[in-house]
PDB file of all heavy atoms in Angstrom:
ATOM      1  N   ALA A 240      98.493  91.110  98.544  1.00 98.00           N
ATOM      2  CA  ALA A 240      98.122  89.710  98.684  1.00 98.00           C
ATOM      3  C   ALA A 240      98.533  89.173 100.058  1.00 98.00           C
ATOM      4  O   ALA A 240      99.602  89.470 100.564  1.00 98.00           O
ATOM      5  CB  ALA A 240      98.782  88.884  97.575  1.00 98.00           C
ATOM      6  N   GLY A 241      97.640  88.427 100.651  1.00 98.00           N
ATOM      7  CA  GLY A 241      97.946  87.786 101.934  1.00 98.00           C
ATOM      8  C   GLY A 241      97.841  88.676 103.165  1.00 98.00           C
ATOM      9  O   GLY A 241      98.022  88.221 104.284  1.00 98.00           O
ATOM     10  N   ALA A 242      97.493  89.936 102.938  1.00 98.00           N
ATOM     11  CA  ALA A 242      97.440  90.872 104.061  1.00 98.00           C
ATOM     12  C   ALA A 242      96.141  90.733 104.867  1.00 98.00           C
ATOM     13  O   ALA A 242      95.070  90.548 104.282  1.00 98.00           O
ATOM     14  CB  ALA A 242      97.580  92.316 103.573  1.00 98.00           C
ATOM     15  N   SER A 243      96.249  90.853 106.170  1.00 98.00           N
ATOM     16  CA  SER A 243      95.072  90.823 107.045  1.00 98.00           C
ATOM     17  C   SER A 243      94.426  92.206 107.085  1.00 98.00           C
ATOM     18  O   SER A 243      94.924  93.153 106.444  1.00 98.00           O
ATOM     19  CB  SER A 243      95.470  90.401 108.465  1.00 98.00           C
ATOM     20  OG  SER A 243      96.086  91.504 109.142  1.00 98.00           O
ATOM     21  N   HIS A 244      93.383  92.312 107.869  1.00 98.00           N
ATOM     22  CA  HIS A 244      92.737  93.615 108.035  1.00 98.00           C
ATOM     23  C   HIS A 244      93.695  94.644 108.625  1.00 98.00           C
ATOM     24  O   HIS A 244      93.585  95.849 108.387  1.00 98.00           O
ATOM     25  CB  HIS A 244      91.510  93.463 108.957  1.00 98.00           C
ATOM     26  CG  HIS A 244      90.643  94.671 108.999  1.00 98.00           C
ATOM     27  ND1 HIS A 244      90.035  95.208 107.885  1.00 98.00           N
ATOM     28  CD2 HIS A 244      90.240  95.453 110.070  1.00 98.00           C
ATOM     29  CE1 HIS A 244      89.315  96.281 108.235  1.00 98.00           C
ATOM     30  NE2 HIS A 244      89.432  96.455 109.538  1.00 98.00           N
ATOM     31  N   SER A 245      94.682  94.182 109.395  1.00 98.00           N
ATOM     32  CA  SER A 245      95.658  95.085 109.983  1.00 98.00           C
ATOM     33  C   SER A 245      96.812  95.384 109.025  1.00 98.00           C
ATOM     34  O   SER A 245      97.966  95.577 109.445  1.00 98.00           O
ATOM     35  CB  SER A 245      96.221  94.458 111.280  1.00 98.00           C
ATOM     36  OG  SER A 245      95.221  94.360 112.249  1.00 98.00           O
ATOM     37  N   VAL A 246      96.521  95.472 107.758  1.00 98.00           N
ATOM     38  CA  VAL A 246      97.526  95.704 106.737  1.00 98.00           C
ATOM     39  C   VAL A 246      98.315  97.019 106.990  1.00 98.00           C
ATOM     40  O   VAL A 246      99.484  97.110 106.635  1.00 98.00           O
ATOM     41  CB  VAL A 246      96.871  95.733 105.322  1.00 98.00           C
ATOM     42  CG1 VAL A 246      95.832  96.836 105.209  1.00 98.00           C
ATOM     43  CG2 VAL A 246      97.910  95.870 104.230  1.00 98.00           C
ATOM     44  N   TYR A 247      97.692  97.999 107.596  1.00 98.00           N
ATOM     45  CA  TYR A 247      98.371  99.264 107.877  1.00 98.00           C
ATOM     46  C   TYR A 247      99.469  99.089 108.926  1.00 98.00           C
ATOM     47  O   TYR A 247     100.394  99.903 108.989  1.00 98.00           O
ATOM     48  CB  TYR A 247      97.363 100.348 108.297  1.00 98.00           C
ATOM     49  CG  TYR A 247      96.710 100.135 109.637  1.00 98.00           C
ATOM     50  CD1 TYR A 247      96.887 101.074 110.660  1.00 98.00           C
ATOM     51  CD2 TYR A 247      95.928  99.029 109.903  1.00 98.00           C
ATOM     52  CE1 TYR A 247      96.287 100.883 111.916  1.00 98.00           C
ATOM     53  CE2 TYR A 247      95.326  98.841 111.134  1.00 98.00           C
ATOM     54  CZ  TYR A 247      95.515  99.767 112.128  1.00 98.00           C
ATOM     55  OH  TYR A 247      94.909  99.574 113.346  1.00 98.00           O
ATOM     56  N   VAL A 248      99.360  98.022 109.722  1.00 98.00           N
ATOM     57  CA  VAL A 248     100.384  97.711 110.717  1.00 98.00           C
ATOM     58  C   VAL A 248     101.407  96.749 110.133  1.00 98.00           C
ATOM     59  O   VAL A 248     102.621  96.931 110.309  1.00 98.00           O
ATOM     60  CB  VAL A 248      99.762  97.093 111.981  1.00 98.00           C
ATOM     61  CG1 VAL A 248     100.839  96.780 113.014  1.00 98.00           C
ATOM     62  CG2 VAL A 248      98.716  98.024 112.560  1.00 98.00           C
ATOM     63  N   SER A 249     100.938  95.737 109.419  1.00 98.00           N
ATOM     64  CA  SER A 249     101.817  94.679 108.919  1.00 98.00           C
ATOM     65  C   SER A 249     102.590  95.044 107.627  1.00 98.00           C
ATOM     66  O   SER A 249     103.652  94.499 107.369  1.00 98.00           O
ATOM     67  CB  SER A 249     101.021  93.387 108.685  1.00 98.00           C
ATOM     68  OG  SER A 249      99.995  93.601 107.729  1.00 98.00           O
ATOM     69  N   HIS A 250     102.023  95.959 106.853  1.00 98.00           N
ATOM     70  CA  HIS A 250     102.661  96.351 105.585  1.00 98.00           C
ATOM     71  C   HIS A 250     102.737  97.887 105.477  1.00 98.00           C
ATOM     72  O   HIS A 250     102.167  98.485 104.542  1.00 98.00           O
ATOM     73  CB  HIS A 250     101.862  95.783 104.397  1.00 98.00           C
ATOM     74  CG  HIS A 250     101.912  94.296 104.276  1.00 98.00           C
ATOM     75  ND1 HIS A 250     101.131  93.473 105.040  1.00 98.00           N
ATOM     76  CD2 HIS A 250     102.659  93.496 103.468  1.00 98.00           C
ATOM     77  CE1 HIS A 250     101.373  92.221 104.717  1.00 98.00           C
ATOM     78  NE2 HIS A 250     102.302  92.215 103.774  1.00 98.00           N
ATOM     79  N   PRO A 251     103.447  98.547 106.386  1.00 98.00           N
ATOM     80  CA  PRO A 251     103.476 100.000 106.370  1.00 98.00           C
ATOM     81  C   PRO A 251     104.081 100.599 105.099  1.00 98.00           C
ATOM     82  O   PRO A 251     103.645 101.663 104.642  1.00 98.00           O
ATOM     83  CB  PRO A 251     104.307 100.358 107.605  1.00 98.00           C
ATOM     84  CG  PRO A 251     105.135  99.125 107.879  1.00 98.00           C
ATOM     85  CD  PRO A 251     104.255  97.974 107.475  1.00 98.00           C
ATOM     86  N   ARG A 252     105.074  99.931 104.527  1.00 98.00           N
ATOM     87  CA  ARG A 252     105.697 100.465 103.326  1.00 98.00           C
ATOM     88  C   ARG A 252     104.712 100.517 102.164  1.00 98.00           C
ATOM     89  O   ARG A 252     104.622 101.543 101.458  1.00 98.00           O
ATOM     90  CB  ARG A 252     106.914  99.613 102.936  1.00 98.00           C
ATOM     91  CG  ARG A 252     107.639 100.056 101.687  1.00 98.00           C
ATOM     92  CD  ARG A 252     108.467 101.333 101.904  1.00 98.00           C
ATOM     93  NE  ARG A 252     107.789 102.550 101.437  1.00 98.00           N
ATOM     94  CZ  ARG A 252     108.283 103.748 101.560  1.00 98.00           C
ATOM     95  NH1 ARG A 252     109.457 103.950 102.116  1.00 98.00           N
ATOM     96  NH2 ARG A 252     107.634 104.800 101.121  1.00 98.00           N
ATOM     97  N   GLU A 253     103.944  99.458 101.966  1.00 98.00           N
ATOM     98  CA  GLU A 253     102.980  99.397 100.896  1.00 98.00           C
ATOM     99  C   GLU A 253     101.892 100.442 101.068  1.00 98.00           C
ATOM    100  O   GLU A 253     101.449 101.102 100.124  1.00 98.00           O
ATOM    101  CB  GLU A 253     102.361  98.020 100.762  1.00 98.00           C
ATOM    102  CG  GLU A 253     103.300  96.938 100.230  1.00 98.00           C
ATOM    103  CD  GLU A 253     104.069  96.227 101.331  1.00 98.00           C
ATOM    104  OE1 GLU A 253     104.276  96.846 102.403  1.00 98.00           O
ATOM    105  OE2 GLU A 253     104.486  95.076 101.108  1.00 98.00           O
ATOM    106  N   VAL A 254     101.463 100.604 102.324  1.00 98.00           N
ATOM    107  CA  VAL A 254     100.430 101.615 102.617  1.00 98.00           C
ATOM    108  C   VAL A 254     100.982 103.019 102.363  1.00 98.00           C
ATOM    109  O   VAL A 254     100.315 103.859 101.754  1.00 98.00           O
ATOM    110  CB  VAL A 254      99.957 101.453 104.075  1.00 98.00           C
ATOM    111  CG1 VAL A 254      99.003 102.603 104.445  1.00 98.00           C
ATOM    112  CG2 VAL A 254      99.238 100.117 104.254  1.00 98.00           C
ATOM    113  N   ALA A 255     102.193 103.287 102.853  1.00 98.00           N
ATOM    114  CA  ALA A 255     102.803 104.594 102.644  1.00 98.00           C
ATOM    115  C   ALA A 255     102.995 104.881 101.173  1.00 98.00           C
ATOM    116  O   ALA A 255     102.804 106.046 100.735  1.00 98.00           O
ATOM    117  CB  ALA A 255     104.137 104.659 103.375  1.00 98.00           C
ATOM    118  N   ASP A 256     103.345 103.867 100.394  1.00 98.00           N
ATOM    119  CA  ASP A 256     103.535 104.075  98.947  1.00 98.00           C
ATOM    120  C   ASP A 256     102.249 104.543  98.269  1.00 98.00           C
ATOM    121  O   ASP A 256     102.283 105.419  97.388  1.00 98.00           O
ATOM    122  CB  ASP A 256     104.020 102.783  98.307  1.00 98.00           C
ATOM    123  CG  ASP A 256     105.488 102.463  98.568  1.00 98.00           C
ATOM    124  OD1 ASP A 256     106.201 103.374  99.036  1.00 98.00           O
ATOM    125  OD2 ASP A 256     105.906 101.321  98.303  1.00 98.00           O
ATOM    126  N   VAL A 257     101.127 103.977  98.662  1.00 98.00           N
ATOM    127  CA  VAL A 257      99.838 104.391  98.078  1.00 98.00           C
ATOM    128  C   VAL A 257      99.529 105.817  98.474  1.00 98.00           C
ATOM    129  O   VAL A 257      99.065 106.626  97.633  1.00 98.00           O
ATOM    130  CB  VAL A 257      98.706 103.455  98.542  1.00 98.00           C
ATOM    131  CG1 VAL A 257      97.342 103.958  98.054  1.00 98.00           C
ATOM    132  CG2 VAL A 257      98.925 102.035  98.027  1.00 98.00           C
ATOM    133  N   ILE A 258      99.786 106.161  99.735  1.00 98.00           N
ATOM    134  CA  ILE A 258      99.511 107.521 100.179  1.00 98.00           C
ATOM    135  C   ILE A 258     100.392 108.528  99.461  1.00 98.00           C
ATOM    136  O   ILE A 258      99.906 109.589  99.020  1.00 98.00           O
ATOM    137  CB  ILE A 258      99.744 107.619 101.709  1.00 98.00           C
ATOM    138  CG1 ILE A 258      98.738 106.746 102.465  1.00 98.00           C
ATOM    139  CG2 ILE A 258      99.642 109.068 102.197  1.00 98.00           C
ATOM    140  CD1 ILE A 258      99.061 106.548 103.938  1.00 98.00           C
ATOM    141  N   GLU A 259     101.670 108.209  99.290  1.00 98.00           N
ATOM    142  CA  GLU A 259     102.577 109.127  98.609  1.00 98.00           C
ATOM    143  C   GLU A 259     102.221 109.217  97.127  1.00 98.00           C
ATOM    144  O   GLU A 259     102.363 110.297  96.528  1.00 98.00           O
ATOM    145  CB  GLU A 259     104.022 108.633  98.799  1.00 98.00           C
ATOM    146  CG  GLU A 259     104.499 108.765 100.241  1.00 98.00           C
ATOM    147  CD  GLU A 259     105.970 108.421 100.432  1.00 98.00           C
ATOM    148  OE1 GLU A 259     106.678 108.336  99.413  1.00 98.00           O
ATOM    149  OE2 GLU A 259     106.418 108.266 101.573  1.00 98.00           O
ATOM    150  N   SER A 260     101.767 108.134  96.537  1.00 98.00           N
ATOM    151  CA  SER A 260     101.323 108.167  95.144  1.00 98.00           C
ATOM    152  C   SER A 260     100.139 109.128  94.994  1.00 98.00           C
ATOM    153  O   SER A 260     100.055 109.896  94.057  1.00 98.00           O
ATOM    154  CB  SER A 260     100.925 106.757  94.675  1.00 98.00           C
ATOM    155  OG  SER A 260     100.391 106.789  93.389  1.00 98.00           O
ATOM    156  N   ALA A 261      99.197 109.049  95.958  1.00 98.00           N
ATOM    157  CA  ALA A 261      98.061 109.957  95.932  1.00 98.00           C
ATOM    158  C   ALA A 261      98.514 111.418  96.042  1.00 98.00           C
ATOM    159  O   ALA A 261      98.027 112.279  95.310  1.00 98.00           O
ATOM    160  CB  ALA A 261      97.117 109.616  97.090  1.00 98.00           C
TER     161      ALA A 261
END
Side-chain angles (χ1 to χ4, degrees):
S243 77
H244 190 59
S245 295
V246 60
Y247 68 118
V248 180
S249 60
H250 292 79
R252 180 73 262 179
E253 289 90 335
V254 173
D256 284 347
V257 174
I258 296 169
E259 292 185 14
S260 176

